[in-house]
Amino acid sequence: MNPALSEALAALPTLVRSHLLLSACAIALGILVGLPLAIWAAADGRARTPLLALAGLVQTVPALALLALFYPALLILGEATGLAVPALGFLPALIALSLYALLPILRNGVAAISGIAPSLIEAANGLGMTRRQRLTMVELPLGAPVILAGIRTAAVWTIGAATLATTVGQPSLGDLIFSGLQTENWVRVLVGCAAAAALALLVDGLLALVESGLARRRPLRVWAGAAATLALVGAALLPAGGAAPGGETVTIGAKNFSEQYILASAIERRLQAAGYRTRRRDNLGSTVAYQALAADDIQVYVDYGGTLWANILGRAEAPPPRQMRAILARQLDERDGVRLLGPLGFENAYALAMRRDRAEALGVSSLDDLARAAPRLRLGADLEFLTRPEWRSVRDAYGIAFAEQRSYSPTFMYRAIADGSADVITAFSSDGRIAALDLVLLADPRRALPSYEALVLVSPGRAGDSRFAEALAPLIGRIQVERMRRANLLVDRDSDKRTPLEAACLLDPFQAC
Amino acid sequence: MLKTINRLVEPDEGSVRLDGRDVRSLEAPALRRSIGYVFQDIGLFPHMSVADNVWIVPRLLGDRDGREGRVAELLDLVALPRDFAGRYPASLSGGQAQRVGVARALAAGPKLVLMDEPFGALDPVTRDALGRSWRGLHDRLGLTTIMVTHDLAEALLLADRIVVLIAGRIRADAAPAVLLRGSDDPEVAALVEVPRRQAARLAGLAGPA
């Protein structure tokens, strides 16, 4: 079988399980909150409009942004209350998805209850039902099909949106989709999408069975549908098979680009060889990754000197690599108890890059030259660069102003410079595509861009684990930039693509893959 | 007016007394369960079987004894076949549904039954049949019935006492025979005149044939 397909399929059971579990919890919470609110809103006309408006408002926030918002919100909550609120993973994903599930449940609930014929409400009152009896004996049973239709809608939405939970570090089928998109591994993307769609259709079908059973008063159908739905969720709750007893589980983080996946795979292989059980949290945002490490949500990941320098320490001036590393090691330890294990041996620095032919035609070889040509040129930046301190530092040091600036995901940024829709891009110095596309990196004589040494960081919880450090020691200082570029190109190139794991085997061939 | 008796509507002034007790001294749900109510829109619960509908008030009262037998008796009382117990309201005709409505009103053995234009939505034959069978039940069970109707013929034929309300005020309060003898109030007189004249014209139409 195609290695990309078999890798994707191997990851599927665990991901389906956690995807389903997350979705089920979010829908359950949505019902638990939404149904009482619907009952309240149906009974109280003054509450109805604001409640529905609020739920509708939540719905207009893009799901991705909603998920991302809960990360800082929970961090602040944790700091304010002094409680250990997990800001990453299950909790923020659960809250965001439940909020998302709320609208259809609330809206259908209100419609179901307030849509009941007034003559039946009058009869219920006239016969002497209390409000609670009217609710349980008349309104809820009669409204059940409509209420359930709302739950169905919520279920389909939630299962779809749960793919986005990946971005806050909660494993889901989105892991396959996001990493596949990053590395242009379409098999992975398709497997992830197909699995999420199949799951949504399955749950929708089962709930449709319950709904039709309720509408036509066929208790057997209701029970069959409900039992099958519960069985499905129950299967997700069973402990994962193949759990080797005794091994400690560590979680390896990765940001959302190929090099990170490859390095995480290399680290994972080393840790597995040392007897650790491993888990992955891929596609973490840049600051999210560090916060997750500091909070011990992940135990190890690779970050870059300049990124930590600017984003975590909030410093601008860029000292030489060795000095920066020493300061980082001390300050990250003091701040968060994070251990800087050491440099991998290459830099993945931000560098502005141009196509060789274009650079030569314009006579640009350094950022000083670029500043003169920039008013006629278009910059293609990655998604973060324009908001990062490095960009301000380059802009201010050289006085660069482009005719146009656009942000791309890394893959599309390289496409843009290849097809000429961008003249200058924010390349990464370890990127295999620099050689492949014949790009030149522009010199930085004023040292506006800091050093971006790849550094292995270990969480406070593992900082004192010497076996852990020893397991990773063979990687420290051993990965030269050429090797990293070759490994990156294997994953990023357009034809004969390899998976990050295969690239990791090339990068660190200590053990057969 | 009916709704002030079982406290679905609270009067602005005055009071309603049942057996000498102000209804406001009773819990509204308990009061309503003790009074039979037949609704204009019938109001059977579509998700419950006929038996469940009939038995709803005893169920609210926590009564479980002899449910099946008593539902059968109630169906007998309103002249419906006993096997209707398992059917659902959607499968009943309007007349059948209101017979179930009547059975429901009688299920907890009330002494007072309120009827809010109970037969208004039915065809004339069903309406007449149901009216007469209700009068029979009323006499047999020794009930007090307060029925609201816009049909004076129905009132004259069924009631022992008729109260004429025009624009919210009592304009007449008399036995049917007294009312038929005429009234000083021209509007009341006009009302009574309608069925009488209709009867005369019908007799005239039939006469020469």
Side-chain angles (χ1 to χ4, degrees), chain A residues 217-238:
Chain A
R217 296 186 190 77
R218 302 265 168 77
L220 203 64
R221 268 192 205 201
V222 177
W223 288 116
T229 311
L230 286 179
L232 193 65
V233 176
L237 276 170
L238 290 175

Side-chain angles (χ1 to χ4, degrees), chain B residues 137-155:
Chain B
L137 283 174
H138 168 90
D139 291 336
R140 188 138 54 100
L141 302 174
L143 302 172
T144 302
T145 303
I146 303 177
M147 181 192 287
V148 172
T149 179
H150 283 100
D151 181 345
L152 208 72
E154 188 176 58

Side-chain angles (χ1 to χ4, degrees), chain A residues 119-130 133 137-139 141-142 217, chain B residues 3 8 29 32-33 39 41 43-48 56-57 59-60 88 104:
Chain A
S119 62
L120 294 181
I121 302 301
E122 192 196 341
N125 290 334
L127 293 171
M129 288 190 190
T130 60
Q133 285 168 334
M137 295 169 79
V138 178
E139 290 171 334
L142 279 177
R217 296 186 190 77
Chain B
K3 292 180 179 172
L8 283 170
R32 291 170 195 161
R33 289 168 195 170
F39 302 88
D41 299 317
L44 296 185
F45 299 117
H47 60 298
M48 296 182 187
I56 193 91
V57 181
R59 180 174 159 202
L60 295 177
Y88 279 86
R104 178 172 70 177

Side-chain angles (χ1 to χ4, degrees), chain A residues 226-442:
Chain A
T229 311
L230 286 179
L232 193 65
V233 176
L237 276 170
L238 290 175
E248 298 167 86
T249 302
V250 293
T251 307
I252 302 146
K255 301 190 202 182
N256 59 344
F257 50 91
S258 310
E259 181 172 291
Q260 285 276 320
Y261 306 146
I262 297 169
L263 292 172
S265 291
I267 291 172
E268 191 171 18
R269 291 177 71 223
R270 285 283 175 181
L271 289 175
Q272 283 171 348
Y276 288 93
R277 290 183 52 211
T278 58
R279 259 192 321 222
R280 287 280 289 273
R281 287 279 188 283
D282 287 358
N283 301 303
L284 300 171
S286 206
T287 36
V288 171
Y290 181 82
Q291 307 289 5
L293 185 84
D296 243 317
D297 286 332
I298 60 175
Q299 276 76 52
V300 57
Y301 84 110
V302 174
D303 211 330
Y304 304 94
T307 309
L308 295 166
W309 187 258
N311 288 358
I312 308 302
L313 300 187
R315 292 168 71 158
E317 85 286 12
R322 188 179 282 279
Q323 200 186 333
M324 180 189 280
R325 196 195 313 153
I327 298 173
L328 278 171
R330 200 176 58 242
Q331 296 214 350
L332 296 183
D333 180 33
E334 279 170 11
R335 256 177 61 110
D336 304 304
V338 164
R339 179 171 176 197
L340 198 163
L341 210 56
L344 284 171
F346 71 94
E347 275 201 43
N348 183 358
Y350 266 119
L352 294 184
M354 295 181 75
R355 266 162 48 184
R356 188 177 301 280
D357 52 350
R358 193 100 173 96
E360 281 168 3
L362 292 168
V364 174
S365 65
S366 72
L367 293 178
D368 278 314
D369 304 333
L370 183 65
R372 286 192 293 276
R376 285 171 285 126
L377 300 179
R378 288 161 300 173
L379 173 70
D382 70 32
L383 296 172
E384 292 178 19
F385 185 75
L386 293 173
T387 58
R388 288 174 68 119
E390 290 92 333
W391 167 234
R392 286 198 294 278
S393 148
V394 168
R395 197 185 49 195
D396 298 347
Y398 294 94
I400 294 180
F402 287 99
E404 188 188 307
Q405 299 172 173
R406 294 180 71 166
S407 295
Y408 298 88
S409 70
T411 301
F412 291 105
M413 183 178 74
Y414 284 101
R415 289 279 163 82
I417 193 146
D419 71 13
S421 35
D423 304 301
V424 183
I425 59 166
T426 59
F428 309 106
S429 57
S430 61
D431 201 304
R433 288 168 290 199
I434 289 173
L437 295 173
D438 198 20
L439 303 182
V440 287
L441 303 183
L442 303 181

Side-chain angles (χ1 to χ4, degrees), chain A residues 138-149:
Chain A
V138 178
E139 290 171 334
L140 288 183
L142 279 177
V146 178
I147 292 171
L148 206 86

